[in-house]
Amino acid sequence: MERRPSTAWPTCFTTTPDGLPMAVWLETDRVVRSTVWDPAYGTERTTSFLLSPGISSPLSLTPVPAAHGATATIAVVGRRGITLVDLASERIVTTMRSHGRTGVFYLRPCVLPSHGRILLAAATSGDIHLWDTADGSPVARWNAPDTLALAAIPLADGRTLLASGAPSGVRIWDPLTGELRHTLLTGAPVHALAVGAGPAGPVLHIHGPAGLATLTLDERLL
């Protein structure tokens, strides 16, 4: 009997570049399994990938848009770095380490398309880090204590900003420079962020113990 994803291990659900649904999960602390379904034919295909011993204690899995010719790339977050794994070719694309201060990555990273590049942001307890996924090179790092959530904000002028949730509100950053562009005080922790498109501009959804709030962002202020 085929094993299915278990919530006991990090799991993510995404689609392949040709649009087929795919579940990816850690079966053990070193084995990544993925299953791709083809609804048109009622078939499924499962593969396994063995992580290198250097990837210790994986914390989460995050899909990364197709890049570097990969058909299905997953970011595996470990305690001291993030590894991009191409599940189709069963190879490691690149590894991204914390630069500057050391720290444990403790939340799911955020993908930011930027001027033809695919960037990846992740937070430690004290900093936000940004890398170029093409080669794992560091792009920026800045101080942002107690970051609880991350979300990319695409703007009409082609820029992509980064929103971070914190114990008392939301901060909006220029991810290429680490410049703080705007702060929204909520008076309560922000544990989750999501961004959508609205008729008057980007829409930011904020969630935490106080409930859910939805705001339309004025790009002229960003």
Side-chain angles (χ1 to χ4, degrees):
M1 179 178 294
E2 185 67 51
R3 288 192 59 178
R4 297 300 179 186
S6 168
T7 55
W9 292 96
T11 304
C12 69
F13 193 72
T14 183
T15 58
T16 63
D18 53 358
L20 297 179
M22 178 174 68
V24 184
W25 69 100
L26 281 169
E27 188 173 58
T28 70
D29 61 353
R30 289 196 56 204
V31 177
V32 177
R33 290 176 67 85
S34 65
T35 296
V36 177
W37 291 273
D38 189 334
Y41 297 96
T43 58
E44 63 181 65
R45 182 179 72 257
T46 298
T47 59
S48 298
F49 179 83
L50 184 64
L51 297 175
S52 66
I55 306 174
S56 61
S57 304
L59 302 175
S60 68
L61 303 174
T62 297
V64 178
H68 347 285
T71 56
T73 305
I74 300 296
V76 182
V77 180
R79 294 194 176 277
R80 295 294 176 185
I82 300 174
T83 300
L84 294 188
V85 176
D86 177 6
L87 297 175
S89 63
E90 298 186 0
R91 67 183 179 91
I92 291 177
V93 177
T94 188
T95 298
M96 296 164 286
R97 303 292 182 187
S98 60
H99 44 282
R101 306 168 197 169
T102 60
V104 174
F105 294 105
Y106 66 99
L107 57 81
R108 192 178 298 275
C110 173
V111 175
L112 296 92
S114 176
H115 303 291
R117 297 187 297 173
I118 302 296
L119 306 179
L120 195 71
T124 64
S125 59
D127 301 325
I128 293 176
H129 301 253
L130 188 71
W131 299 269
D132 189 331
T133 60
D135 57 8
S137 60
V139 175
R141 175 189 61 82
W142 62 93
N143 185 244
D146 304 318
T147 298
L148 303 176
L150 295 172
I153 305 175
L155 302 180
D157 61 9
R159 292 178 298 151
T160 300
L161 301 182
L162 180 68
S164 66
S168 60
V170 177
R171 307 173 185 129
I172 298 179
W173 311 88
D174 181 338
L176 298 180
T177 64
E179 178 188 357
L180 181 62
R181 304 302 299 269
H182 193 74
T183 300
L184 172 65
L185 297 178
T186 60
V190 175
H191 288 158
L193 296 165
V195 178
V203 175
L204 180 64
H205 305 283
I206 303 168
H207 186 265
L212 176 67
T214 298
L215 305 171
T216 297
L217 301 177
D218 187 342
E219 293 192 25
R220 295 171 299 177
L221 303 177
L222 301 175

